[in-house]
């Protein structure tokens, strides 16, 4: 319990659900006043979908809430720009390599392109930039260093295609995800690799295949090759946050293999336990369909991107608002109707907030305190965003609170919500420009779209994008603006 100067009461402690302990636990940082967060970031061989974006928005809400509590937060999000073999198996085609080959470009070009799209999407939904955004390819020495430590301590063994981690030597291997290793059959989880001692064993370093030319490979004490994809997160988190840190986030799909393997490498390599204090996992964004909800994933091909929403006139921040309507540990079903209804609700909220911004005068902190406390309580309760949003709406609609207090409360909530409340609702019209040549191209694109000539429409969009011009589709028609950077 602690007192807060802006509040009338003693505040209850923050509690987060920790996957490892399987329950909610009061949150205390390792070092007073500071919080380190590591979030598994994008694999940059394709455009991120809005399921990935939900994961990013969850870690952003977590960060914003901790900042509002006065913590100095160091947030690390990695960029996976190497390896990541098909599914979780340690075999199959490398996704980065495959994407580069298909596009006739280098792996670096592919990675730079999709990293930029990821950055732009994050910015469009008001995600705070991470303090560190390390790339796997720029941290190969750190990864080799960790593998050497594991080798020296006797955890690794060599088979034909690489160096593997012997999971039977780590008694806590099943702890994070509560795995049933006895009942696990090889193949069901990670595919069959000849020579592995245990089904769960995973590659720490893979050898370059003889006669197969790869775009991405490095020298190592074990020969030329590339790191296993779990290694980067173990090595880079520790590089930026120290050998133990507070919170690790990611989608729930990562708990059983990727995060379990990260724990094994880090606890054995750095000799720490628990390596991470809180494991926080977000549930999926699912696509509503006739047969029930299905996880949105690149491999299923049922993905939607933020650009798809923007093309349909949905404000990117309406997607942020949509995600705030569900608790991060609940599945959230995406459908056209659901996002459209969220967009309407969001537009209403923004209009109210913009109107309240016109109110002048000073508010009454005592009148505001009960609402501010309830908003904070909701988030301290394992980041209960829907409950916090209920308080936001109560304030927005209240006819008992003075307008000036409603204005102040929404201003106080905004840094946590990141919804640009109080700003002009349509950014598009705020900075739309006019230029006869570009306006004409936009009209051509509109005509092509009406004729369902998507190829021409896309070509015009790409040409303008190459000039640094972004088209923003809205219900009132398409507008354009020059990219600011
Ligand atoms: P990836 O780029 O596939 O490595 O994924 C980046 C992040 O998005 C990881 O934390 C995943 O667990 C998460 N993720 C992937 N699919 C979904 C989904 N449908 N809903 C929510 N999070 C997801
Ligand atoms: Zn990771």
């Amino acid at each position: 319990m602690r007192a807060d100067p802006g509040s009338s009461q003693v505040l209850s402690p923050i509690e987060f659900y920790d996957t490892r302990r399987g329950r909610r636990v009061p949150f205390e940082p390792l070092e007073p006043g500071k919080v380190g967060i590591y979030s598994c970031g994008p694999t940059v061989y394709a455009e991120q979908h809005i399921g990935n974006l939900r994961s990013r928005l969850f870690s952003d809400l977590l960060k914003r809430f901790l900042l509002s509590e006065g913590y100095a937060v160091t947030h690390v999000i990695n960029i996976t720009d190497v390896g990541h073999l098909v599914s979780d198996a340690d075999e199959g085609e490398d996704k980065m390599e495959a994407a580069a080959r298909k596009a006739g470009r280098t792996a670096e070009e592919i990675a730079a392109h999709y990293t930029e799209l990821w950055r732009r999407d994050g910015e469009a939904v008001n995600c705070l930039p991470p303090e560190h955004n390390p790339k796997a390819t720029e941290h190969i020495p750190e990864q080799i260093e960790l593998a050497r430590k594991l080798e020296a301590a006797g955890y690794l063994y060599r088979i034909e295609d690489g160096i593997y981690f012997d999971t039977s030597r780590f008694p806590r291997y099943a702890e994070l995800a509560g795995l049933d290793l006895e009942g696990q059959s090889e193949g069901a989880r990670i595919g069959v690799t000849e020579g592995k001692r245990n089904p769960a064993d995973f590659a720490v370093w893979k050898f370059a295949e003889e006669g197969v030319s790869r775009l991405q490979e490095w020298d190592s004490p074990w020969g030329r090759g590339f790191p296993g994809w779990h290694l980067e997160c173990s090595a880079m988190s520790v590089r930026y946050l120290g050998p133990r840190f507070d919170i690790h986030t990611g989608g729930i799909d990562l708990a059983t293999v990727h995060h379990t393997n990260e724990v094994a490498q880090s606890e054995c390599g750095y000799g720490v336990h628990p390596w991470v204090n809180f494991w926080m996992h977000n549930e999926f964004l699912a696509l509503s369909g006739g047969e029930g909800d299905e996880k949105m994933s690149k491999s299923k091909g049922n993905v939607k991107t933020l650009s798809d929403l923007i093309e349909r006139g949905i404000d990117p921040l309406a997607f942020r608002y949509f995600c705030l309507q569900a608790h991060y540990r609940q599945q959230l079903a995406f459908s056209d109707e659901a996002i459209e209804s969220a967009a309407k609700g969001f537009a209403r909220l923004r209009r109210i907030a913009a109107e309240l911004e016109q109110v002048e005068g000073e508010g009454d902190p005592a009148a505001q305190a009960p609402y501010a406390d309830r908003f904070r309580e909701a988030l301290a309760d394992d980041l209960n965003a829907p409950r916090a949003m209920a308080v936001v709406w109560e304030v927005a609609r209240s006819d008992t609170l003075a307008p000036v207090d409603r204005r102040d409360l929404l201003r106080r909530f905004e840094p946590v919500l990141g919804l640009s409340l109080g700003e002009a609702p349509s950014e598009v019209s705020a900075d739309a420009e006019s230029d006869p040549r570009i306006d004409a191209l936009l009209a051509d694109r509109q005509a092509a779209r009406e004729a369902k000539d998507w190829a021409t429409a896309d070509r015009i969009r790409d040409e303008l994008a190459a000039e640094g011009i972004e088209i923003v589709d809205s219900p009132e028609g398409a507008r354009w603006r020059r990219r600011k950077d």
Side-chain angles (χ1 to χ4, degrees), residues 6 8 10 34 73 82 109 118 140 147 156 160 186 201 214 273 351 355 397 416 418 426 445 459 474:
S8 52
V10 175
K34 292 187 180 167
V73 180
V82 61
E109 284 169 336
W118 171 81
I140 300 293
L156 306 185
E160 202 182 329
E186 168 108 10
D201 291 358
R214 285 179 51 91
H273 176 71
R351 251 193 322 271
E355 276 164 28
R397 288 210 185 98
V416 183
S426 171
R445 175 172 169 275
R459 182 179 49 74
S474 76

Side-chain angles (χ1 to χ4, degrees), residues 435-484:
D435 174 297
R437 183 182 62 88
I438 299 170
D439 291 346
L441 279 169
L442 217 61
D444 289 349
R445 175 172 169 275
Q446 189 56 30
R449 279 165 65 98
E450 276 159 25
K452 300 211 181 320
D453 177 1
W454 306 114
T456 304
D458 287 350
R459 182 179 49 74
I460 296 174
R461 184 183 60 184
D462 292 347
E463 276 172 25
L464 288 172
E467 290 182 42
I469 287 164
E470 212 168 28
I471 299 181
V472 189
D473 290 298
S474 76
E476 297 86 47
R479 311 278 196 101
W480 62 270
R481 61 183 172 195
R482 265 176 236 285
R483 303 250 335 252
K484 293 194 185 86

Side-chain angles (χ1 to χ4, degrees), residues 60-298:
D60 190 63
L61 177 67
L62 173 67
K63 177 179 187 177
R64 283 171 175 273
F65 173 60
L66 291 169
L67 287 171
S68 78
E69 290 287 297
Y71 291 110
V73 180
T74 305
H75 191 195
V76 182
I77 307 180
N78 67 305
I79 300 285
T80 299
D81 58 352
V82 61
H84 202 164
L85 303 177
V86 169
S87 80
D88 285 318
D90 284 317
E91 47 187 37
E93 210 176 9
D94 176 320
K95 293 175 182 175
M96 284 299 306
E97 296 262 333
R101 206 161 284 133
K102 196 164 157 221
R105 293 163 75 183
T106 65
E108 289 76 21
E109 284 169 336
I110 293 287
H113 174 71
Y114 290 113
T115 301
E116 176 53 23
L117 293 188
W118 171 81
R119 198 196 58 74
R120 200 192 60 188
D121 281 359
E123 199 178 276
V125 295
N126 279 351
C127 283
L128 301 173
E131 277 62 38
H132 302 282
N133 200 190
K135 295 179 188 165
T137 50
E138 289 174 1
H139 295 77
I140 300 293
E142 287 91 337
Q143 297 181 59
I144 290 177
E145 182 55 35
L146 173 55
R148 286 177 78 114
K149 281 191 189 355
L150 290 169
E151 184 178 48
Y155 288 101
L156 306 185
Y157 63 94
R158 173 188 282 260
I159 58 176
E160 202 182 329
D161 72 343
I163 303 289
Y164 281 71
F165 186 102
D166 184 344
T167 53
S168 67
R169 301 227 30 234
F170 179 48
R172 283 189 302 271
Y173 185 73
E175 186 188 39
L176 174 66
L179 296 177
D180 168 19
L181 291 176
E182 302 283 295
Q184 200 169 68
S185 65
E186 168 108 10
R189 180 158 164 266
I190 47 173
V192 187
T193 301
E194 210 149 304
K196 272 185 7 178
R197 294 180 186 165
N198 311 285
D201 291 358
F202 57 92
V204 167
W205 190 265
K206 293 271 289 183
F207 303 136
E209 264 178 84
E210 236 167 276
V212 178
S213 86
R214 285 179 51 91
L215 298 166
Q216 295 180 297
E217 52 181 50
W218 293 266
D219 287 324
S220 83
W222 310 280
R224 224 170 146 68
F226 56 101
W229 84 278
H230 316 294
L231 195 59
E232 63 172 275
C233 288
S234 288
M236 296 196 292
S237 54
V238 167
R239 158 85 168 70
Y240 292 97
L241 297 173
R244 292 188 61 213
F245 59 92
D246 299 296
I247 306 177
H248 195 314
T249 76
I252 189 68
D253 55 325
L254 300 184
T256 51
V257 179
H258 180 52
H259 290 163
T260 288
N261 292 348
E262 279 187 37
V263 172
Q265 293 167 152
S266 300
E267 299 210 347
C268 298
Y270 302 117
V272 289
H273 176 71
W275 171 49
V276 168
N277 257 4
F278 282 78
W279 282 94
M280 296 178 72
H281 290 106
N282 65 276
E283 254 296 344
F284 295 141
L285 181 78
L287 206 59
S288 294
E291 314 243 311
D293 298 341
E294 196 185 35
K295 180 196 168 198
M296 186 174 287
S297 78
K298 280 170 208 156

Side-chain angles (χ1 to χ4, degrees), residues 236-479:
M236 296 196 292
S237 54
V238 167
R239 158 85 168 70
Y240 292 97
L241 297 173
R244 292 188 61 213
F245 59 92
D246 299 296
I247 306 177
H248 195 314
T249 76
I252 189 68
D253 55 325
L254 300 184
T256 51
V257 179
H258 180 52
H259 290 163
T260 288
N261 292 348
E262 279 187 37
V263 172
Q265 293 167 152
S266 300
E267 299 210 347
C268 298
Y270 302 117
V272 289
H273 176 71
W275 171 49
V276 168
N277 257 4
F278 282 78
W279 282 94
M280 296 178 72
H281 290 106
N282 65 276
E283 254 296 344
F284 295 141
L285 181 78
L287 206 59
S288 294
E291 314 243 311
D293 298 341
E294 196 185 35
K295 180 196 168 198
M296 186 174 287
S297 78
K298 280 170 208 156
S299 55
K300 290 206 177 89
N302 63 349
V303 301
K304 277 198 193 294
T305 63
L306 192 66
S307 322
D308 293 334
L309 302 192
I310 295 171
E311 287 249 333
R312 291 213 352 246
I314 305 281
D315 184 332
L317 288 175
F319 182 69
R320 186 175 182 109
Y321 177 90
F322 174 70
C323 290
L324 287 168
Q325 293 177 321
H327 190 272
Y328 75 91
R329 292 198 296 119
Q330 276 171 349
Q331 254 201 32
L332 176 57
F334 181 89
S335 67
D336 290 347
E337 298 73 44
I339 189 69
E340 271 156 25
S341 124
K344 281 196 193 118
F346 175 57
R348 251 194 323 270
L349 181 62
R350 256 187 137 178
R351 251 193 322 271
I352 295 172
E355 276 164 28
L356 287 171
E357 277 304 313
Q358 308 304 314
V359 175
E360 287 179 7
E362 262 185 52
D364 170 10
Q368 295 167 22
Y371 296 88
D373 288 349
R374 276 167 51 218
F375 179 80
R376 186 236 166 233
E377 290 282 295
L379 293 163
D381 182 10
D382 194 27
L383 284 188
N384 194 327
R387 228 169 76 208
M389 287 310 291
V391 179
V392 171
W393 270 109
E394 210 181 309
V395 168
R397 288 210 185 98
S398 174
D399 43 21
T400 50
L401 271 169
V404 70
D405 291 320
R406 291 162 63 208
R407 178 203 69 189
D408 283 0
L409 279 163
L410 293 185
R411 281 185 187 168
R412 286 167 73 174
F413 299 158
E414 170 54 27
V416 183
L417 300 172
L419 289 170
S420 295
L421 293 181
E423 284 177 25
S426 171
E427 278 171 46
V428 181
S429 50
D431 60 3
E433 298 178 51
S434 177
D435 174 297
R437 183 182 62 88
I438 299 170
D439 291 346
L441 279 169
L442 217 61
D444 289 349
R445 175 172 169 275
Q446 189 56 30
R449 279 165 65 98
E450 276 159 25
K452 300 211 181 320
D453 177 1
W454 306 114
T456 304
D458 287 350
R459 182 179 49 74
I460 296 174
R461 184 183 60 184
D462 292 347
E463 276 172 25
L464 288 172
E467 290 182 42
I469 287 164
E470 212 168 28
I471 299 181
V472 189
D473 290 298
S474 76
E476 297 86 47
R479 311 278 196 101

